[in-house]
């Protein structure tokens, strides 16, 4: 079949691999002018490890594994450690942590040569008819496909065009998050501790992995009205939120916000939809069921969903009417589990009051002198 995949994130690249290997003619379009690798490291966990094995990329994923989460320390305004996260959070044999750029590269390298990856392209219109789907692109081109798969993330254009506006499906969890490159901090601390500083409704942190450092800013807020693609608007929101804070390294992180042309900034939200397919169009990954960064499972869900969809299309001889509901039935339990794990996560990371911060720190493991 001739299949269009919108979005070259983990979901889109996994679809490209899984469908391309099964002999389909796959075109992946990506709005950005390159594969985006910024953001925080991600987890390949649970059944997604088996998915990676079936895709043949598990050895490369294991080779690129990083370890960082056991080193998270909460600090006070002077940088003195007041507590740390338990050592086993996010680090087990069932969980491989990997830099986003590495997973992206591994998946892109695994694409069969037949997959056509087009950068700086996006969908403008989708019109289904009896024999296929006519797609109009932002470049002005148009083309017909047998199937269209929306793997274009939480703000999916395919979802908007086929299923209706984002506000019908998005559930805001009351937080915003930004990840910023901080090249100047990469080896600033010999012990490579990842410090996090809280003040009411706000969290600022620095994490180090490989030869890189990233800044993390989170804050509690009702939904903010801004163009989610406008990086300058994103930066202004961060300055408005954090400019007053002179404690710890918050101003250093804001300097990095100024310098980084490609920050990651988004609301911490989930996507809930009663169904992920309509006619010849289906959604995969965050576009269908974003679980939010608090779940730490978006990448694994993207990988399992892509594989289930490719397998079900094969099992039903390309009959999407049979395959799409089967894909959804297999993927739903994973999504419901992941979306259900976020409760309390926001309040732990971003306590709303000073009392709640003190209470949170008391629950954490103490830091031994000298650590
Ligand atoms: C740059 C970036 C940084 C991220 N950083 C973090 C992070 O730090 N922490 C976290 O928890 N999650 C982060 N995420 C989200 C995380 O990657 C996903 O939850 C998870 O990997 C599921 O992936 P996905 O492929 O479904 O969606 P995504 O990773 O969002 O990928 C969607 C892809 O589609 C592209 N796209 C969007 N709109 C269009 C369009 N109209 N046409 C064509 N292409 C389009 C995007 O550029 C992107 O490459 C980030 C996502 C991106 C894109």
């Amino acid at each position: 079949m001739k299949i269009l995949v919108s979005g070259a994130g983990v979901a889109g690249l996994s679809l490209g691999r899984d469908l391309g290997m099964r002999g389909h003619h796959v075109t992946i379009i990506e709005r950005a002018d390159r594969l985006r690798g910024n953001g925080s490291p991600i987890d390949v966990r649970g059944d997604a490890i088996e998915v990676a094995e079936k895709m043949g990329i598990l050895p490369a994923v294991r080779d690129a594994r990083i370890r960082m989460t056991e080193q998270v320390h909460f600090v006070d305004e002077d940088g003195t450690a007041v507590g740390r996260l338990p050592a086993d959070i996010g680090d087990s044999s069932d969980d491989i942590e990997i830099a986003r750029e590495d997973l992206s590269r591994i998946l892109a390298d695994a694409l069969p040569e037949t997959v056509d990856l087009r950068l700086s392209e996006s969908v403008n219109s989708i019109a289904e008819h009896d024999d296929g789907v006519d797609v109009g692109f932002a470049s002005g081109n148009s083309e017909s496909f047998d199937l269209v798969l929306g793997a274009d993330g939480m703000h999916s254009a395919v979802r908007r065009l086929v299923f209706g506006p984002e506000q019908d499906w998005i559930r805001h969890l009351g937080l915003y998050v930004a990840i910023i490159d901080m090249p100047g901090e990469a080896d600033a601390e010999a012990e490579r501790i990842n410090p996090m500083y809280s003040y009411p409704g706000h969290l600022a942190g620095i994490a180090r992995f490989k030869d890189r450092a990233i800044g993390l800013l989170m804050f509690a807020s009702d939904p903010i009205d801004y163009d989610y693609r406008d990086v300058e608007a994103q930066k202004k929101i961060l300055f408005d939120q954090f400019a007053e804070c002179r404690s710890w390294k918050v101003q250093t992180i804001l300097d990095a916000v100024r310098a980084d042309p490609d920050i990651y900034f988004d609301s911490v939200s989930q996507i809930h939809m009663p169904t992920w397919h309509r006619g010849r169009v289906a959604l995969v990954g965050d576009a269908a069921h974003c679980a939010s960064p608090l779940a730490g499972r978006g990448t694994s869900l993207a990988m399992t969903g892509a594989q289930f969809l490719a397998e079900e299309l094969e099992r039903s001889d390309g009959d999407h009417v049979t395959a799409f509901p089967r894909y959804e039935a297999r993927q739903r339990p994973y999504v419901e589990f992941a979306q259900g794990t976020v409760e309390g996560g926001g309040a732990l990371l971003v306590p709303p009051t000073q009392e709640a911060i003190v209470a949170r720190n008391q629950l954490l493991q103490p830091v031994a002198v000298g650590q």
Side-chain angles (χ1 to χ4, degrees):
M1 279 188 292
K2 198 174 163 201
I3 301 177
L4 176 70
V5 175
S6 173
V10 174
L13 293 172
S14 301
L15 281 168
R17 164 80 182 170
D18 287 337
L19 293 167
M21 292 300 277
R22 287 173 168 81
H24 298 293
H25 301 282
V26 182
T27 300
I28 307 178
I29 54 164
E30 165 58 47
R31 194 182 57 197
D33 58 6
R34 66 201 175 289
L35 295 181
R36 299 188 68 196
N38 58 338
S40 61
I42 45 189
D43 299 278
V44 178
R45 55 166 50 149
D47 287 4
I49 294 179
E50 195 184 316
V51 167
E53 185 159 33
K54 279 198 206 166
M55 285 168 100
I57 61 167
L58 188 57
V61 169
R62 281 201 196 286
D63 281 352
R65 178 180 199 161
I66 54 172
R67 283 189 172 79
M68 61 184 288
T69 32
E70 71 271 27
Q71 299 159 332
V72 170
H73 284 199
F74 283 93
V75 298
D76 66 12
E77 60 272 21
D78 302 318
T80 306
V82 290
R84 64 177 171 191
L85 289 181
D88 57 353
I89 283 200
D91 185 43
S92 70
S93 58
D94 195 29
D95 181 350
I96 304 174
E97 192 154 24
I98 177 171
R100 190 173 300 273
E101 78 251 24
D102 286 339
L103 185 59
S104 206
R105 172 186 47 77
I106 290 167
L107 286 168
D109 287 350
L111 287 178
E113 275 180 12
T114 51
V115 172
D116 178 14
L117 175 60
R118 299 180 197 165
L119 300 172
S120 305
E121 184 65 288
S122 59
V123 286
N124 265 359
S125 65
I126 296 177
E128 182 169 340
H129 50 81
D130 284 349
D131 304 322
V133 192
D134 294 336
V135 177
F137 293 105
S139 60
N141 296 333
S142 56
E143 212 171 318
S144 237
F145 296 89
D146 295 309
L147 300 177
V148 172
L149 304 177
D152 39 7
M154 188 165 84
H155 304 293
S156 169
V158 171
R159 191 185 61 227
R160 176 172 40 79
L161 291 168
V162 176
F163 298 84
E166 181 169 308
Q167 60 263 33
D168 290 355
W169 317 116
I170 198 158
R171 204 175 284 176
H172 180 56
L173 300 183
L175 294 173
Y176 281 81
V177 60
I179 304 285
I180 308 107
D181 245 348
M182 296 192 72
E185 289 283 325
D187 14 73
E189 292 189 37
E191 292 185 43
R192 300 179 68 78
I193 288 165
N194 300 321
M196 302 282 158
Y197 168 65
S198 295
Y199 65 101
H202 296 75
L203 175 81
I206 298 176
R208 300 180 178 84
F209 56 97
K210 291 171 68 184
D211 54 353
R212 290 186 52 200
I214 50 171
L216 163 76
L217 294 175
M218 288 182 89
F219 61 92
S221 167
D222 289 337
I224 302 171
D225 189 18
Y226 72 103
D227 176 357
Y228 67 87
R229 284 165 300 199
D230 182 345
V231 177
E232 291 313 312
Q234 298 172 354
K235 290 185 176 185
K236 180 170 182 322
I237 293 168
L238 290 170
F239 295 137
D240 288 350
Q241 280 291 331
F242 289 90
E244 308 271 283
C245 181
R246 303 281 138 191
S247 299
W248 188 59
K249 292 191 172 183
V250 170
Q251 292 301 317
T252 311
I253 299 176
L254 286 185
D255 288 342
V257 170
R258 272 180 207 98
D260 185 351
D262 199 22
I263 62 169
Y264 169 73
F265 177 84
D266 217 326
S267 69
V268 176
S269 297
Q270 293 187 334
I271 297 292
H272 290 260
M273 301 181 77
T275 179
W276 304 325
H277 57 91
R278 179 169 292 172
R280 292 174 175 272
V281 179
L283 303 174
V284 182
D286 278 8
H289 49 61
C290 181
S292 89
L294 295 178
R297 291 172 190 272
T299 302
S300 299
L301 289 177
M303 292 172 72
T304 54
Q307 194 160 86
F308 293 159
L309 194 144
E311 284 175 356
E312 293 306 332
L313 275 174
E314 183 174 36
R315 215 154 67 89
S316 60
D317 264 342
D319 173 19
H320 65 276
V321 178
T322 307
F324 284 173
R326 284 183 177 166
Y327 142 68
E328 193 167 321
R330 285 177 71 186
Q331 176 76 348
R332 278 264 171 211
Y334 290 90
V335 171
E336 279 167 12
F337 172 75
Q339 291 189 328
T341 60
V342 302
E343 201 151 323
L348 179 81
L349 282 172
V350 190
T353 61
Q354 191 56 36
E355 295 72 41
I357 291 171
V358 172
R360 189 268 322 266
N361 290 349
Q362 278 168 355
L363 283 177
L364 297 171
Q365 293 181 350
V367 181
V369 177
Q371 273 197 295

